Amino acid sequence: MSDVLAAGELTLRVLTPGDHADVHAIFSDPQTHTIGDGPVRDPEETRLWLERRAVRRDSHGVTWYGVCRSDGTMIGTAGLLIGRTAPYPELGLEIRWPDQGRGFGTTAAAAVVAEGHRAGFGQVWASVRSWNAASLRVLYRIGFRRDRSEGNLIYLMHSTRVA
């Protein structure tokens, strides 16, 4: 996957260890980071997360990006990971709370999915908690289709094939 993606007024660029402070600010914000166990308190967890993104890029060909405004301010992260939906990648996306509701998530997600397909992944998946209406709207808006539910987790798929 490419190192840099142009997406409207946003630039998505591969995260590096130098992005630690910006990424940790996003991950430690309780209004923004509502996934998993909630906000990440320990900066070391964020550092290790960044290291794992680099390893997964090398081993699986998936990339995680910093989502940046034209002035370089990082407003979120977005990318692909190999996990629950292996062998296909899964989309992840997080936009800072103050920047949500402005279309940045939709723009960033569309760019990452398009790049994933360009890189040869015929399917890109997403899993979203059923209560996360905003993320579901983003996914439906860019062409994801619901596949199944497991508990309160909804699995959606985006394919290069036309249904």
Side-chain angles (χ1 to χ4, degrees):
M1 295 178 65
S2 296
D3 289 351
V4 178
L5 305 176
E9 64 182 283
L10 300 175
T11 299
L12 284 71
R13 60 172 180 72
V14 172
L15 290 170
T16 69
D19 293 315
H20 179 265
D22 288 333
V23 173
H24 190 68
I26 293 165
F27 285 7
S28 64
D29 178 5
Q31 289 185 291
T32 300
H33 197 77
T34 59
I35 60 173
D37 294 329
V40 176
R41 305 258 183 246
D42 185 356
E44 179 66 5
E45 281 184 61
T46 301
R47 188 190 68 70
L48 292 171
W49 183 89
L50 284 166
E51 282 183 7
R52 288 191 304 272
R53 299 296 74 77
V55 168
R56 290 178 178 159
R57 184 170 196 215
D58 291 341
S59 62
H60 299 293
V62 292
T63 302
W64 209 274
Y65 299 96
V67 178
C68 302
R69 292 178 183 255
S70 59
D71 66 1
T73 302
M74 188 179 298
I75 62 166
T77 70
L80 298 181
L81 60 99
I82 300 292
R84 288 184 280 237
T85 60
Y88 300 105
E90 183 174 349
L91 173 69
L93 172 69
E94 191 164 37
I95 301 296
R96 287 185 328 178
W97 175 255
D99 294 299
Q100 292 177 11
R102 299 179 184 183
F104 297 136
T106 301
T107 300
V112 170
V113 169
E115 179 61 11
H117 288 317
R118 190 206 61 74
F121 295 107
Q123 296 177 10
V124 175
W125 287 77
S127 59
V128 180
R129 304 268 183 262
S130 57
W131 51 261
N132 192 338
S135 289
L136 287 168
R137 277 192 305 274
V138 164
L139 295 169
Y140 288 132
R141 204 175 284 141
I142 64 171
F144 275 80
R145 302 228 187 273
R146 185 182 183 132
D147 181 73
R148 68 183 183 278
S149 295
E150 294 177 9
N152 72 349
L153 204 57
I154 299 171
Y155 285 83
L156 304 100
M157 192 257 296
H158 194 285
S159 177
T160 56
R161 288 186 226 119
V162 178

